[in-house]
Amino acid sequence: MAKVIIVGAGAAGLFAAAIVAANGHQTELYEKNGVPGKKLLITGKGRCNLTNSCEKENFFQAVVSNPKFLYSAINRFDQNQFLSYLREIGLKTKIERGNRVFPESDKSSDVVSVLVKQCRRFGVKFHYHSKVDKLYSSDHCCKGIILSDGTKIQSDAVILACGGLSYPTTGSTGEGYTLAKEIGHHIVETLPALVPIETKENWVKDVQGLSLKNVRIQIFAKNSEREKKRKILYEDFGEMLFTHFGVSGPVILSASSHIGRLLKTEELILAIDLKPALSDKQLDLRFLREFEQHRNQLVSRVLRTLYPQKLIPILMKKTKIALDRRAYSLLAEEREALLFHTKEFCLTLHKLRDYREAVITQGGVCVQEISPSTMESKKISRLYMIGEMLDLDAKTGGFNLQIAWSTAYAAAMSI
Ligand SMILES: Cc1cc2nc3c(=O)[nH]c(=O)nc-3n(C[C@H](O)[C@H](O)[C@H](O)COP(=O)(O)OP(=O)(O)OC[C@H]3O[C@@H](n4cnc5c(N)ncnc54)[C@H](O)[C@@H]3O)c2cc1C
């Protein structure tokens, strides 16, 4: 029987502890908060989208950073195996749109409870309010941890499951990176991901709360805006939202994971196609029909049949059509401008919001220094790292938690 220390009682740490202990090891879990799973509790808006039941190939497509590193861990313990495990330990689940899996009760607290119950069943010892400050090693072998009060605790293996930097009030304040760095690991520059984006345009304040459904977005470099062959950096279709500082909502959060690094050095253009289902010709015919049918009405009034009301003053400003213009007076080039700005309603992306609003951290412990089948450090034996602290991140839909479960399982079973 080995003595195994796990640092962090989040998703990855709790699951790893449950598996290590179930395999008969003396398992000690150190958590700086007074409760386990603080972040897990707020996942999925309190419902916990605990995994995604998509085909395995699709799983890897949903991983943004280092999908190949995950092949081994996911093949060994995938979504279906995790769902079987939950069934066995008494948690019923349900599948929703986009293969998102939730507890049947819609309560993330049930996920935390069932994992804690498993830990307790196999004798995991919980140490709350216990912040791990250092790791110690000899001959490239991890020997234990040192707590913030100076207590030194020896062990046969240490699993770091300290999370990243996002939502720091949950306890994820990046200490895992410091612990890993101090013992010789390289940290890939971190940045917030699955996070809203600030725009340069201030008018977003006037339309805050407005959500656009079924829009197509494209993001490209500002300096390629006028070029014939602009390089599209990200493209998506779905729902987005205006906020007091910029843009948010599903397609924007997903985009943030792909363009965050670039946005640090240059401004990017977000072009929204407000009518992706209509070709330019169809849209122009629609304009002609509407303006003909309502000849004497204000243009801004006629446009209400085509756009959300809040957006119309912005569109009029972009097209330089005065608010007092009547439909009959509209010139062909003005209609053309309307068409242009409908198919390419542009904003300038300025910067990502910070970690306090980010669902996940991009970057982290460099995965080239970690064994993909066991999560053991290639630099220091008997030291394992799992979950969000590794340079792994995926889009929304339950994929990030599956990364935590699969990497935790790989480490636990290896021990
Ligand atoms: C608002 C929000 C909603 C989300 N919703 C979903 C969702 O529905 N589905 C999904 O798949 N993903 C979701 N995620 C992402 C998901 O929560 C993370 O991927 C996951 O929690 C990572 O698990 P982890 O165990 O690696 O880290 P964490 O859950 O962050 O746990 C790390 C733990 O380590 C502790 N710790 C840190 N340093 C120390 C130290 N030095 N000593 C002792 N303890 C320490 C922390 O206090 C914390 O409890 C969401 C994230 C957020 C912020």
Side-chain angles (χ1 to χ4, degrees), residues 4 18 95 133 139 166 192 213 245:
V4 180
I95 303 176
D133 250 7
D139 294 332
S166 49
K213 293 202 171 77
F245 55 77

Side-chain angles (χ1 to χ4, degrees), residues 7-13 30-33 35 37-40 42-45 48-51 102 130-133 161-164 166-167 170-173 175-176 179 358-360 386-389 397-402 404:
V7 186
Y30 289 83
E31 166 58 56
K32 65 179 176 171
N33 291 329
V35 288
K38 233 177 147 180
K39 185 177 278 177
L40 250 185
I42 60 163
T43 55
K45 300 197 170 102
C48 186
N49 175 195
L50 47 88
T51 189
F102 292 88
S130 301
K131 182 168 166 274
V132 176
D133 250 7
C162 301
S166 49
Y167 274 65
T170 62
S172 317
T173 48
E175 283 140 36
L179 293 171
V359 170
I360 199 92
I386 59 176
E388 192 174 331
M389 65 176 290
F399 302 101
N400 284 300
L401 278 173
Q402 185 60 46

Side-chain angles (χ1 to χ4, degrees), residues 308-339:
Q309 203 171 332
K310 273 187 176 178
L311 219 53
I312 295 171
I314 318 287
L315 200 62
M316 302 282 286
K317 207 165 178 185
K318 275 180 180 284
T319 52
K320 300 191 175 70
I321 302 173
L323 283 167
D324 60 357
R325 292 286 297 284
R326 305 251 159 207
Y328 68 82
S329 72
L330 213 58
L331 304 171
E333 54 264 37
E334 288 171 322
R335 224 177 53 237
E336 209 172 285
L338 266 176
L339 196 141

